[in-house]
Amino acid sequence: MRTRNRAVVAAMCAGLAATLAACGGGGEKDPDAGTNGVGKLPATKIESKARLAAGSAKSVRLSGNLVTSGATYKLNMRLNADGGTGQVSTKGSSFELLRVGKELYLKADAGFWSHDGESGGGGAGNAAGKLDNKYVKVPSGDPSYQRLSGFTDMKLLLDGLLGLPGKIATGDHGHVDGVRTINISAGKAGEGGSLDVSLEGRPYPLRLQRAGGAGVIRLADWNKGFKLTAPEKGHVLDYGQQIPETP
């Protein structure tokens, strides 16, 4: 009986060992197994490869919160080499931007346009109803042109966002929208910001936490091409004076 009991116990232990091994309990699983291998590189190399991948991409969707010059902007923009399209919101004000080449258009509701009239902008209040949800071409000489077009400039945004100041260290493996990632961060406790880089396919940056709490940006739809088309002339109106300032 003792021999039989020992045989039963041995069989149970063997089955348990096999189950644990199948579940990864027989040892730590390599977190970089089946990935693009970027997670095994030094942090500076990971950053370099992420920036190289981003720089060679033809399009991207950029969304999230961006704090700059004391203002917080909520962005949802699709960008490519020819321009961009999407929505920008800040301090209760929301508007759509569309840039095709050098031509920049802005679309907003009546509240956006009447705001300028409340600030002493003259006829803007009377024009608000006509401009409601219509495309308005922003003149290249308008003071707002450079600032607004910056939200539609893929290269400008990526170059300005992706740099991590300070010494970079490798963090944990994780996931962003179901994609396996490796995190890198700058400064003590990530105070210089952090970046989650894809471990699947090309090492695109997928999420950026900016230094000093200056926003969190997600980057998706890399190289998913789309076409930018200028609105028909009949749907474009002339504001007739300087575009209202946003905060």
Side-chain angles (χ1 to χ4, degrees):
M1 291 294 293
R2 291 181 180 177
T3 301
R4 182 182 177 184
N5 288 341
R6 285 198 297 268
V8 170
V9 172
M12 292 176 60
C13 289
L16 179 60
T19 301
L20 291 175
C23 296
E28 291 188 7
K29 187 176 179 180
D30 181 1
D32 292 298
T35 71
N36 55 24
V38 168
K40 296 182 178 181
L41 300 176
T44 53
K45 289 285 187 180
I46 297 174
E47 182 195 31
S48 176
K49 284 187 172 292
R51 297 193 67 163
L52 182 62
S56 63
K58 295 182 179 179
S59 61
V60 67
R61 178 185 293 275
L62 189 152
S63 61
N65 298 314
L66 179 64
V67 181
T68 180
S69 301
T72 299
Y73 296 91
K74 184 177 181 180
L75 310 178
N76 188 0
M77 301 294 301
R78 294 188 71 189
L79 309 168
N80 65 23
D82 296 325
T85 181
Q87 188 172 53
V88 180
S89 302
T90 180
K91 292 185 178 180
S93 177
S94 182
F95 51 91
E96 293 181 29
L97 291 174
L98 169 64
R99 182 173 65 84
V100 184
K102 293 183 179 180
E103 305 297 325
L104 178 65
Y105 305 89
L106 186 151
K107 184 166 73 171
D109 61 19
F112 174 89
W113 300 110
S114 62
H115 174 75
D116 192 49
E118 294 170 1
S119 301
N126 297 329
K130 295 180 179 180
L131 296 172
D132 183 35
N133 288 315
K134 298 294 193 302
Y135 281 105
V136 174
K137 185 175 180 180
V138 182
S140 59
D142 190 287
S144 296
Y145 180 91
Q146 193 69 26
R147 177 170 46 83
L148 292 174
S149 64
F151 290 119
T152 66
D153 191 321
M154 179 175 171
K155 186 178 186 307
L156 180 67
L157 282 172
L158 292 180
D159 286 350
L161 290 173
L162 293 182
L164 293 177
K167 186 177 180 180
I168 305 173
T170 304
D172 297 329
H173 289 70
H175 293 81
V176 174
D177 297 328
V179 179
R180 296 168 68 183
T181 58
I182 183 68
N183 178 270
I184 56 174
S185 61
K188 185 178 180 180
E191 61 188 12
S194 66
L195 191 66
D196 291 291
V197 179
S198 175
L199 290 176
E200 301 177 17
R202 297 211 66 189
Y204 291 117
L206 299 183
R207 180 171 56 198
L208 169 69
Q209 175 105 30
R210 301 186 71 212
V216 178
I217 298 292
R218 286 179 179 263
L219 304 111
D221 296 344
W222 288 101
N223 271 335
K224 290 187 178 180
F226 65 97
K227 185 177 181 181
L228 290 165
T229 304
E232 296 180 8
K233 291 184 178 181
H235 296 283
V236 179
L237 299 179
D238 181 14
Y239 183 64
Q241 57 180 303
Q242 181 177 322
I243 298 295
E245 287 287 324
T246 56

